[in-house]
Amino acid sequence: MTGKLRAMTTASSLLTVDLDALAQNYTTMRSLVLPPCKVTAVVKADAYGLGIEQVAKALNAANVRTYFVATIDEAIELRKHTDRKIATLNGFFRGAEKEYLEHDIIPVLCSLDEIDRWTYSKRCFWQVDTGMNRLGLRPHEFDKAFERAHYQPAFIMSHLACADDPAHPKNDQQRKELAAIETRYPLMRYSLANSSGIYLGSEYHFDMVRPGMALYGLNPMPELENPMQNVVTLETRVLQIHESQEGETAGYGATYKFERPAKLATVSLGYADGFLRAGSNQAKLYWQGQPCPVVGRVSMDLIIVDISNLPVNIIPPYEGDFLEVIGPSQSADALAASFGTIGYEVFTSLSRRAERIYKTSSGS
């Protein structure tokens, strides 16, 4: 047996990645900007935990021309799967010059020191810090950078701190900071917008946009209905069905006490799989669209869920069935909210224990 049939017999959890939806989300991003603005793809952290090989294959077919990753190691791995441009967001690592050149990687230079050390060609980007205080040249350093460099960068970039909050004044402040540099150096090309930044409007697009999270189905506009297609479905195996009695407790630390008899399902998922411990007594799994609350602490490999309140017309799960963790009933963003975090952390926390199934119109 292969594909999903094999996974159904051996896997503790199933992670299905819809590559057609991924490609469609990239197409959606392209539809929001006007040529000649370039639309790239951010695939750092193993394509947000979904698997760089298969994701790159799908995005290559969708005609992505430039990729962004975080580190040189990620870039070297990605180079195995694409001949397109690859840039590293986290600067130019000292001592790694050979790797950048050998694998044709574009460094995003973030300091005067990095600009001084990159002596090979103009094939680089510069990052300016317009207000995040994280990485990049300060705006007042730009004149000095151009005086010292023997080349001009292909792009000058910055990164928005509050793009997921359209009303935040920081967005306009950062846009104006980058626009001021553009006024001084009008022949250069510029980039500011991430996924959420694309939705702030065309004045944020400049010459290149860098969508990441939205490609994978996360909501770039948290206060509105998600415009992206769902890419990820995560299901986990039921290991045991049993009854609890009034007064008994669930899990480590006895943090949940049953006030009445309950029917429980123990499932093969825990914090070692990326289901965060913050979901203890908070998160929900779903069976046929019905919520099943987590009771007790999330263990390393196991979760207990209460299936007592399923409607009478729904047959309850049995040992070997799979409960939905992420999917039609619960988005990654909704699950993340129950953890008190964001969808990025949910995706990038997913462990390799889940059997990955890549779904396309031509079959899994």
Side-chain angles (χ1 to χ4, degrees), residues 229-250:
Q229 291 191 17
N230 184 57
V231 173
V232 174
T233 300
L234 177 62
E235 304 161 277
T236 189
R237 183 187 293 271
V238 175
L239 299 177
Q240 183 176 318
I241 304 293
H242 57 280
E243 309 281 341
S244 68
Q245 301 303 315
E246 179 181 352
E248 293 182 344
T249 62

Side-chain angles (χ1 to χ4, degrees), residues 294-324:
V294 173
V295 293
R297 286 183 182 165
V298 174
S299 305
M300 180 181 287
D301 314 297
L302 300 170
I303 297 170
I304 306 164
V305 296
D306 189 338
I307 58 173
S308 304
N309 295 319
L310 294 173
V312 293
N313 63 324
I314 291 181
I315 298 173
Y318 289 89
E319 179 185 328
D321 286 330
F322 282 74
L323 299 189
E324 177 191 324

Side-chain angles (χ1 to χ4, degrees), residues 77-323:
E77 179 60 31
L78 175 58
R79 178 56 73 209
K80 299 174 185 177
H81 311 298
T82 188
D83 60 358
R84 314 292 168 80
K85 295 178 182 176
I86 303 172
T88 57
L89 291 165
N90 286 10
F92 175 35
F93 289 7
R94 187 180 296 276
E97 292 85 354
K98 177 183 175 183
E99 283 72 20
Y100 284 91
L101 296 173
E102 180 180 336
H103 298 281
D104 193 21
I105 307 303
I106 303 169
V108 178
L109 306 179
C110 300
S111 67
L112 292 174
D113 174 68
E114 290 183 357
I115 289 170
D116 288 343
R117 287 191 288 110
W118 184 255
T119 60
Y120 303 98
S121 74
K122 69 176 184 179
R123 193 177 169 86
C124 66
F125 301 160
W126 290 0
Q127 181 161 207
V128 56
D129 178 6
T130 56
M132 203 167 185
N133 273 299
R134 198 171 63 169
L135 284 176
L137 296 157
R138 302 294 290 178
H140 69 268
E141 294 180 309
F142 254 73
D143 291 336
K144 187 180 295 186
F146 274 104
E147 291 171 3
R148 291 162 64 158
H150 68 281
Y151 56 83
Q152 291 185 339
F155 277 91
I156 295 172
M157 300 168 38
S158 193
H159 194 64
L160 292 164
C162 305
D164 58 348
D165 181 1
H168 202 291
K170 190 80 172 177
N171 294 320
D172 192 51
Q173 292 170 14
Q174 290 189 263
R175 182 191 63 80
K176 288 178 177 176
E177 284 273 11
L178 191 61
I181 296 173
E182 183 184 35
T183 299
R184 301 209 314 271
Y185 299 97
L187 299 181
M188 304 303 301
R189 293 182 295 175
Y190 295 84
S191 177
L192 178 62
N194 54 10
S195 293
S196 296
I198 292 170
Y199 282 89
L200 294 178
S202 59
E203 64 270 30
Y204 287 84
H205 296 171
F206 289 89
D207 302 296
M208 178 174 69
V209 296
R210 312 184 306 272
M213 53 93 90
L215 300 179
Y216 310 103
L218 298 175
N219 191 353
M221 301 186 294
E223 301 305 317
L224 300 175
E225 183 177 352
N226 191 354
M228 314 314 298
Q229 291 191 17
N230 184 57
V231 173
V232 174
T233 300
L234 177 62
E235 304 161 277
T236 189
R237 183 187 293 271
V238 175
L239 299 177
Q240 183 176 318
I241 304 293
H242 57 280
E243 309 281 341
S244 68
Q245 301 303 315
E246 179 181 352
E248 293 182 344
T249 62
Y252 285 121
T255 61
Y256 186 91
K257 186 174 183 179
F258 295 98
E259 297 179 354
R260 57 177 175 76
K263 188 173 186 178
L264 306 176
T266 300
V267 302
S268 186
L269 189 72
Y271 56 77
D273 303 288
F275 194 92
L276 304 185
R277 201 162 180 262
S280 302
N281 296 309
Q282 297 290 331
K284 296 180 177 66
L285 275 57
Y286 283 78
W287 172 252
Q288 296 187 17
Q290 300 299 314
C292 304
V294 173
V295 293
R297 286 183 182 165
V298 174
S299 305
M300 180 181 287
D301 314 297
L302 300 170
I303 297 170
I304 306 164
V305 296
D306 189 338
I307 58 173
S308 304
N309 295 319
L310 294 173
V312 293
N313 63 324
I314 291 181
I315 298 173
Y318 289 89
E319 179 185 328
D321 286 330
F322 282 74
L323 299 189

